[in-house]
Amino acid sequence: MTDLRPPARYDDARLDGYRPQTESQAEALQKARQFVRLVRVRAGRPSWLRLFQRDDGLRGGLYLVGPVGTGKTHLLASIYHALAAPEGGAEPVPCAYTHSSALFRATEPPGAYADRVAAEARVLCLDEVELDDPAGEVRLIAVLRALRERGVTLAATSNAEPERFVSGHLGRDRLERFISEEFERQYHVVFVGGDDFRQGLEKEGRAWVGAPDAARAAMRRAYEAAPEPKRWLAFDELLRLTTEVERTRLAERLAQSGALFLDGIDVADTDDALRLLRVADDLYGLPAPPTLYFTAAAPPAEWFAAEGRGGLEAAIADKFARTTSRLTALAEVERV
């Protein structure tokens, strides 16, 4: 598990490099520094002493929550580097870093998963906690409980506050209260607010939104002018590839092109939304993603908006904002 590291994009992420833009971001940075300090204190205790419950100010760990583009993953990767490869001669603390999707794809029971983590890591950094169904929420809680029982401390990020997990959209029942209380009692939940910093980044790619024929013609001109290697994919073909090619391998294949052209993005349902979300996550996490070009009839913010949706659709639409944030961070949108 200790081979699991942050995406290469975050190799240089450090707490000293995080520039807070809001009071809540400044507080999150302070809480991240405190987390690192308290983890080092906890890790320095003899193993027999760790068996005893005591209030050391750390509890089960740190849960950073807030809208897209406020630097939560930067903070999480910085925590990993500060602990696993500290500067100034501090003793390293074994850490593992993974995306929540990998936790849910794991086939072993929660206890066995926790055993595998605890065998090599004292801290699990869990990025982008995203829950699509109550069964996933139950698995998450079971894994987190098992990790605490084995002395593994958690640092996690999410766009969803605990009370807005999927079960919250399905009614305030016993499961929702259980999840909310579990997080409030066991973890330091810190809100990280602010504007989406990605929208202020310089964007190498382009996107054309409007009438399909005009948008496709504009992108075709860019495609013909782009040097090799380049790849043109209809959106339907991209969706098919997500069903046929393992996620990591698909990202590697797409990254082999210096320029990627996605034609006719049209999110019809939750399945399309989740598949595009995962592709966007994987492309954005690459140290050198392909230059992205795409066409769509509607602006990205309208592809799968939360307004007017309920239940599972509303929950997925909430986190789909991360998809539009990352895609528009890679490509400047132009109306045609």
Side-chain angles (χ1 to χ4, degrees):
M1 293 294 294
T2 48
D3 291 335
L4 295 180
R5 297 174 48 83
R9 169 182 285 270
Y10 298 99
D11 279 350
D12 296 327
R14 297 295 185 272
L15 293 173
D16 286 345
Y18 183 79
R19 299 289 181 262
Q21 302 299 313
T22 65
E23 289 185 8
S24 66
Q25 290 178 15
E27 179 186 4
L29 176 60
Q30 185 269 330
K31 293 291 187 182
R33 294 186 188 280
Q34 182 183 50
F35 177 84
V36 169
R37 178 177 59 81
L38 292 175
V39 165
R40 287 176 179 158
V41 171
R42 179 179 285 185
R45 296 188 189 128
S47 57
W48 62 266
L49 187 57
R50 297 176 200 143
L51 298 176
F52 295 92
Q53 295 291 332
R54 58 179 294 177
D55 183 9
D56 58 4
L58 190 55
R59 287 194 277 178
L62 182 66
Y63 184 83
L64 301 174
V65 59
V68 297
T70 56
K72 299 182 300 298
T73 298
H74 181 109
L75 285 172
L76 188 67
S78 299
I79 286 171
Y80 175 94
H81 292 305
L83 291 171
E87 300 174 354
E91 189 71 21
V93 177
C95 296
Y97 187 110
T98 191
H99 193 280
S100 69
S101 61
L103 184 153
F104 293 120
R105 289 198 305 270
T107 57
E108 67 260 67
Y113 182 92
D115 284 339
R116 183 156 61 92
V117 176
E120 298 185 34
R122 299 295 307 282
V123 175
L124 176 63
C125 296
L126 183 62
D127 195 21
E128 301 288 5
V129 173
E130 51 184 31
L131 298 163
D132 305 328
D133 58 73
E137 295 180 350
V138 172
R139 175 172 173 79
L140 174 69
I141 296 300
V143 168
L144 297 187
R145 280 185 164 178
L147 288 170
R148 287 200 307 273
E149 291 169 358
R150 289 154 179 78
V152 177
T153 305
L154 178 77
T157 72
S158 179
N159 298 139
E161 297 179 70
E163 61 269 21
R164 287 187 60 80
F165 283 169
V166 170
S167 58
H169 291 276
L170 301 178
R172 287 198 60 85
D173 56 12
R174 184 171 60 183
L175 175 61
E176 181 194 356
R177 291 193 300 272
F178 166 72
I179 290 171
S180 298
E181 292 169 2
E182 177 78 7
F183 274 84
E184 291 170 0
R185 182 172 62 250
Q186 299 292 348
Y187 300 95
H188 294 285
V189 180
V190 178
F191 180 75
V192 189
D195 296 329
D196 184 354
F197 81 94
R198 298 187 187 107
Q199 301 313 307
L201 299 177
E202 185 176 346
K203 305 166 187 180
E204 187 177 359
R206 293 286 295 278
W208 294 269
V209 171
D213 288 344
R216 185 174 299 112
M219 190 166 77
R220 180 62 68 178
R221 290 191 290 271
Y223 177 80
E224 292 171 353
E228 296 287 354
K230 56 189 175 183
R231 185 171 186 178
W232 181 289
L233 275 175
F235 185 58
D236 287 347
E237 185 179 359
L238 176 66
L239 293 179
R240 179 181 59 78
L241 288 174
T242 64
T243 68
E244 298 175 352
V245 183
E246 189 274 329
R247 178 176 174 174
T248 303
R249 200 173 311 130
L250 176 59
E252 292 172 350
R253 287 189 189 180
L254 296 177
Q256 290 173 358
S257 301
L260 177 63
F261 296 78
L262 301 179
D263 183 35
I265 295 179
D266 182 17
V267 179
D269 51 32
T270 57
D271 186 61
D272 289 357
L274 288 172
R275 293 184 187 283
L276 181 57
L277 183 149
R278 288 160 187 158
V279 171
D281 277 352
D282 294 340
L283 289 177
Y284 188 79
L286 296 172
T291 302
L292 179 66
Y293 302 84
F294 64 83
T295 69
E302 299 177 10
W303 290 347
F304 203 72
E307 290 78 12
R309 300 183 188 274
L312 179 61
E313 278 197 344
I316 293 175
D318 280 346
K319 69 181 182 182
F320 189 74
R322 187 171 81 242
T323 305
T324 59
S325 169
R326 291 183 168 180
L327 290 179
T328 53
L330 297 172
E332 188 72 40
V333 177
E334 173 185 332
R335 286 186 176 271
V336 294

